[in-house]
Amino acid sequence: MIVDCAIYRDGRRSEEPPRDFSDALDLCRLRDDAFVWIGLHEPTEDEFGKVTEEFGLHPLAVEDALKAHQRPKMEVYDDSLFVVLKPVAYEPKSDVVTAGEVMVFIGDSFVVTVRHGEETTLGAVRERLEGDPDMLRHGPTAVLYAVADSVVDHYLEVAEELSIDLEEVEAEVFSPTAGGSRNTASRIYAFKRQVLEFRRATGPLANPLVRLAQTGPTGTRVPFVRDDAQPFFRDVSDHLTRVNESVEGLDRLVSDVLSAHLAQTGVQQNDDMRKISAWAAMAALPTLLAGIYGMNFEHMPELTWVWSYPALLAIMAALELLLYRTFKHRGWL
């Protein structure tokens, strides 16, 4: 559905809503300081078809905007620039990272934003821009920058929350009581899956932001983006670099934590096997002696001796005590 549609002149929102997309676009193109911004949330094919027809959006970009589930990317077409961003949200209680999608079309005097999911609210971005006319005077480029900056800044918050939760997982793994819990391995693996989901949102976005910042080896200018916006996109790109470095560190660290947990589990299993073996050895010795003297043979030594029974019990107790002290000294018990 169409969430908002407005015309902006000289950095300020026009109080009169546009009657028609085509008329609004024609009106904005008559002035250098005006543009129209249409915001949509999970539009249907029919709803988006009207926007596509009026603004001349490329069919491939339209298909991506309708179907969603795209990687972060930037595509340049003859009449528009198409950028896909993936905002993320993290729920610390459930340790789940969820990703939405924001598609931004910018062209000659127009901006079209398409949002999928609830992970970001473009209304807050629009409200912030409307409160900063100096920024909004830069036209569609300012909208693209503000959306990208909002998404990447939230990446930093999510990365910080993931770091805090990973510290809790580390404390659980290296705890003397909970390190061998059955749920620990599944929690570590689930956490690694969330880091991977986060990485899918942040990693592919690096190249589009480098192109927007014109910091690549060729420095090729991106159409429909103002030249004076380069420092702003460079700042967003720097923030994203910090996020990606943090994500890579989280991924390596959670792998190390998983390896440490598996090593701890192996050591614990070895300790358990030693204890089982020690108790089995202690149980085997009296069983052996009792088995020998339990045989129904007529001619066996010490059968007629009065003290044979208590002597045999004393020998069993002495040998058990000897084995117990030996195993205890070696740390098997």
Side-chain angles (χ1 to χ4, degrees), residues 219-285:
T220 305
R221 180 182 180 276
V222 178
F224 309 108
V225 176
R226 294 169 58 105
D227 293 336
D228 55 3
Q230 177 181 348
F232 296 94
F233 285 110
R234 186 184 300 123
D235 180 67
V236 179
S237 180
D238 289 342
H239 288 177
L240 182 63
T241 300
R242 287 173 49 198
V243 172
N244 284 329
E245 290 174 350
S246 178
V247 172
E248 290 178 5
L250 286 171
D251 189 49
R252 289 194 300 268
L253 190 55
V254 74
S255 297
D256 293 340
V257 170
L258 180 58
S259 299
H261 172 68
L262 294 177
Q264 280 187 325
T265 302
V267 171
Q268 182 64 42
Q269 289 176 344
N270 290 336
D271 289 341
D272 293 341
M273 289 303 299
R274 284 201 302 266
K275 291 179 180 179
I276 293 172
S277 300
W279 286 112
M282 293 174 63
L285 185 60

Side-chain angles (χ1 to χ4, degrees), residues 62 69 91 127 131 150 164 166 169 178 182 185 192 228 241-242 268 289 308 332:
V62 171
H69 303 294
E91 178 53 51
E127 183 178 353
S150 175
I164 294 173
L166 182 57
V169 174
R182 292 182 178 180
K192 189 173 180 64
D228 55 3
T241 300
R242 287 173 49 198
Q268 182 64 42
L289 295 176
S308 59
W332 286 32

